[in-house]
Amino acid sequence: MRTVNEVSRLTGVSVRTLHHYDAIGLLKPTAVSEAGYRLYDDADLVQLQQILLFRELEFPLKEIKGILESPNFDRNLALEQQITLLTLKKEHLENLIDLARGIQMIGVNKLDFTAFDTSKIDAYAAEAKARYGQTAEYQEFLQKSQGYTKEDVQRITVQMMAIMAEFGEMREKSPSSQQAQAQVKKLRDFITEYFYSCSDATLLGLGRMYAGGGRLTENIDKTGGEGTGEFIYQAISVYCREQ
């Protein structure tokens, strides 16, 4: 068992923050000593790790509390999301470092602000939140998926990857081509039928994820060929602009 001061020194989380987590019921100590000191065991530290992971995903404390108390909480999924998000942040920082070094070495000769773009990070964080029931889309998905059998899930997954493979077959065409735009509509209709009502904003957010790097992009590119994720995003962008 560790005191609140020991936990603070070990984790870098301030004593004040730990007191606040206790007060709101987010991280309550396992025991309190006779002298009134909070005492934390290893399970509490695991809980604290999860809280800090979700804070990196930019979840509000109230939402984190609801997620950790939910019977649907999947620790492995949370870790996978965290790895993906940190990878995106790492790439973002590397782009900024390269930009700064370029300015330092040769001066500013081009006003390029693409390195400051955080849209991929924002899109992934939003999707991560959606998976934990904080949006109407996820609630709709829960309702639709209640009756899904294991075979249903496998069939839907195969069909989804087949759609990605079809995108791959046309990735050398223009994203604005009639074939590509018809395929985007097919994707949108599929998501609406089996997952949740897919609005323009949701579809565009998914497109950013498909091209955003990490395991999802790798899986799509393995299915449809290198560049498929980016092609889908470009086709979706055209589709959403023309709606």
Side-chain angles (χ1 to χ4, degrees):
M1 302 287 279
R2 296 178 174 86
T3 66
V4 68
N5 285 303
E6 289 172 336
V7 171
S8 178
R9 287 195 296 270
L10 177 66
T11 65
V13 178
S14 71
V15 171
R16 180 178 180 181
T17 296
L18 292 170
H19 286 175
H20 179 61
Y21 288 174
D22 182 10
I24 64 176
L26 180 59
L27 179 68
K28 301 193 75 66
T30 294
V32 178
S33 69
E34 293 182 0
Y37 294 109
R38 297 171 173 84
L39 300 174
Y40 298 84
D41 63 12
D42 288 347
D44 296 326
L45 294 182
V46 170
Q47 177 94 338
L48 180 57
Q49 280 185 331
Q50 289 299 322
I51 293 168
L52 297 178
L53 291 176
F54 278 110
R55 289 298 287 162
E56 286 296 326
L57 283 168
E58 301 178 5
F59 279 53
L61 294 178
K62 183 178 180 180
E63 291 185 11
I64 296 174
K65 184 174 184 294
I67 290 169
L68 295 180
E69 292 176 351
S70 170
N72 297 320
F73 175 62
D74 186 334
R75 182 172 180 268
N76 290 329
L77 174 60
L79 290 171
E80 182 176 335
Q81 291 173 333
Q82 179 65 13
I83 291 168
T84 300
L85 183 69
L86 287 174
T87 300
L88 290 174
K89 287 187 173 182
K90 174 176 175 287
E91 293 173 354
H92 176 64
L93 289 174
E94 288 174 344
N95 289 336
L96 289 174
I97 291 170
D98 289 343
L99 175 65
R101 283 176 175 165
I103 293 173
Q104 183 182 51
M105 292 176 63
I106 62 176
V108 179
N109 59 358
K110 181 179 179 182
L111 293 178
D112 185 357
F113 290 85
T114 56
F116 297 95
D117 183 12
T118 62
S119 59
K120 291 181 180 179
I121 296 173
D122 296 339
Y124 188 83
E127 180 67 14
K129 291 180 182 182
R131 292 184 185 183
Y132 283 102
Q134 304 306 315
T135 66
E137 287 87 355
Y138 190 75
Q139 293 295 338
E140 184 179 352
F141 169 68
L142 286 180
Q143 293 177 357
K144 286 189 174 185
S145 63
Q146 280 180 352
Y148 288 172
T149 64
K150 182 178 180 181
E151 290 73 23
D152 289 332
V153 174
Q154 291 176 340
R155 174 177 53 81
I156 292 169
T157 301
V158 169
Q159 290 176 347
M160 185 68 163
M161 296 315 293
I163 291 174
M164 300 302 177
E166 290 169 356
F167 270 114
E169 292 174 358
M170 62 184 76
R171 68 185 189 282
E172 299 302 326
K173 298 180 180 293
S174 169
S176 61
S177 68
Q178 184 176 355
Q179 186 181 8
Q181 291 304 294
Q183 188 69 9
V184 173
K185 184 179 186 304
K186 181 178 181 179
L187 172 64
R188 181 178 190 170
D189 291 346
F190 183 85
I191 293 171
T192 297
E193 180 176 359
Y194 292 104
F195 297 96
Y196 44 74
S197 300
C198 189
S199 66
D200 285 353
T202 300
L203 183 63
L204 191 57
L206 290 172
R208 292 193 182 104
M209 284 184 58
Y210 297 155
R215 185 173 300 178
L216 179 58
T217 305
E218 290 176 2
N219 289 339
I220 292 174
D221 285 358
K222 284 180 182 178
T223 300
E226 186 176 355
T228 300
E230 178 64 27
F231 177 78
I232 297 173
Y233 172 49
Q234 296 299 330
I236 288 175
S237 297
V238 173
Y239 181 90
C240 290
R241 284 198 303 267
E242 295 182 353
Q243 296 304 302

